Amino acid sequence: MKLKSLLIASAMMLAPASVMAADLTIGFSQIGSESGWRAAETTVTKQEAEKRGIDLKFADAQQKQENQIKAIRSFIAQDVDAILLAPVVATGWDEVLEEAKDAEIPVLLLDRTVDASEDLYLTAVTSDLVHEGEVAGKWLVEEMAGKPCNVVELQGTTGSSPAIDRKKGFEQGIAGHDNLKIIRSQTGDFTRSQGKVVMESFLKAEGGANICALYAHNDDMAVGAIQAIKEAGLKPGQDIKIVSIDSVPDIHLAMAAGEANATIELTPNMAGPALDALEAYLSSGTTPPKWIQTESRLYTLKDDNQAVYEAKKGLGY
Ligand code: AHR
């Protein structure tokens, strides 16, 4: 039995969770800072660690999987107690996760899933990414009430679980409603700048009058697209309906101005439930479920979006 296992075993008998947390060193491999939501997740994770007295080693991968793999190997070499991983893409993790498993270091996934065997990670804290897309699709079905509507889609990072699942969910949400047609779909890499560039190309290719709605896999791309729509002389939110995901403060500001129509909330606090699960695991051997699901909620123009903006802007965004 390795020393770490012995410590966990004795902690299971002796130490309360709070004592354990103060002694923990945890590595966090973050994707980067592509969106307002991602920046908030980083802030909240650091706050959650500090609150619990955890020594958090933070590595920003600048959107590259190879950097995340390097960071995980470095955390293993430092013999950390656990690793938090927000995986940029879904595939290609087996080898490095095996290495963490061999070193008896639990890995907890934050906000995105991986295509790997479940025994390679302790738990995944994510929203239901398919459901988010489905809620967006159903919202548009209701909004259009049978009227014909050509939809353009801004996808998230290619190969990432939210891009795959949110696309699938939206298609499920509009299935059977032939008045709604996705006429263009392209990645905007979850960034504001790419959202703008790709929306400009949609508008150029189709002409504004042929586009009735935009579905963006995150709010930042929607905010970039709003700029492109305005520059094309159109009214976002009216000439082109906009539904997106995250519920960052800026989209609520746009909604308060009538320039976006709906968003689905994704909490940036993935670390809280992950660290609770880790502490219970280390202190009493409680094995968490493989999936800890966070809540999703739809905001529309019926909500007081100015108030939501005011309430959210301090919360790590
Ligand atoms: O994985 C969650 C997604 O990643 C968020 O919706 C998006 O803003 C971020 O980049």
Side-chain angles (χ1 to χ4, degrees), residues 10 68 78 86 94 161 168 189 192 241 259 262 269 300:
S10 53
Q68 292 205 283
Q78 293 170 67
D94 300 69
S161 64
K168 182 176 159 193
D189 211 11
R192 226 170 251 222
K241 306 269 183 200
E259 294 181 342
N269 188 5
T300 67

Side-chain angles (χ1 to χ4, degrees), residues 206-244:
E206 293 293 337
N210 199 36
I211 302 173
C212 145
L214 163 68
Y215 165 48
H217 290 192
N218 81 344
D219 292 341
D220 276 68
M221 292 189 292
V223 170
I226 287 170
Q227 197 54 40
I229 294 167
K230 284 186 184 172
E231 285 172 16
L234 297 164
K235 290 197 178 85
Q238 293 178 41
D239 296 329
I240 298 179
K241 306 269 183 200
I242 299 175
V243 56
S244 53

